[in-house]
Amino acid sequence: MGKFEVLDHPLIQHKMTIIRDKEVGTKVFREMVNEIAMLMAYEVTRDMLLEDVEVQTPITTTVKKRLAGKKLAVVPILRAGLGMVDGIVNMIPAARIGHIGMYRDEETLQPVEYFVKLPEDIDQREVLVVDPMLATGGSANMAIEALKKRGAKTIKLVVLVSAPEGVKAVQAAHPDVDIFTAALDEKLNAEGYIVPGLGDAGDRLFGTK
Ligand code: PRP
Ligand code: URA
């Protein structure tokens, strides 16, 4: 079974509380989502491999570490996942960015795929799938399937708020995928929204409601 980690650093908890508040507007919501994603990137990349490299300082020559091994791709699930990209790429500027477009049919709650564009060498990259919300898990599972179908082998799912139902669904379908979340909430309501959650992440990010 892949890892499941709640990244509850005090800064993350504080910023999460801000974005849960329904009175918080688009500007602050967007800033906070990026900042939380940036803080999460720090934890999610903790196991990145390092290699020795010789460096000439102004004083002497020394051997120190630099990143080695697999390169990264950040893959937001559109739309809301876009809100996390800048924060992560601030920390990992060399990462390539892929996009998977998916929306939840509001009646059936089933995800519908409408766009996939990935780096060509996705099979050689560690992939961070990013989306603020993991509710039923349908969107994340379909995105992970789309990635695996195109050769991705090492996948981590990075979300802000998850419901237990979504975590179970991803763990059941993709036991090889590590899941990192800023918060694990109580449950889903009858409309498939996370409780207490933060509402519709895409609408709050882009001001569409
Ligand atoms: C939201 C969210 C996830 C999905 C989670 O996207 O950003 O992608 O719902 O729900 P699930 O786990 O039940 O699949 P939405 O479909 O609202 O699209 P949007 O990002 O374009 O607003
Ligand atoms: N998608 C959202 O944006 N919010 C939820 O609570 C569930 C799915």
Side-chain angles (χ1 to χ4, degrees), residues 77-80 102-104 131 133-139 200 202:
I77 302 179
L78 306 181
R79 284 175 306 168
M102 212 156 268
Y103 68 87
R104 272 197 333 175
D131 191 328
M133 311 306 280
L134 175 62
T136 65
S139 306
D200 188 308

Side-chain angles (χ1 to χ4, degrees), residues 50-56 61-67:
L50 295 169
E51 64 186 6
D52 287 339
V53 61
E54 196 176 272
V55 55
Q56 176 77 54
T61 301
T62 183
V63 174
K64 294 294 173 197
K65 301 288 182 189
R66 76 170 170 205
L67 291 172

Side-chain angles (χ1 to χ4, degrees), residues 112-130:
V112 181
E113 183 184 297
Y114 61 87
F115 184 75
V116 179
K117 183 76 184 171
L118 301 171
E120 252 182 273
D121 58 352
I122 195 74
D123 56 325
Q124 287 153 51
R125 290 180 179 268
E126 177 174 323
V127 181
L128 303 183
V129 178
V130 302

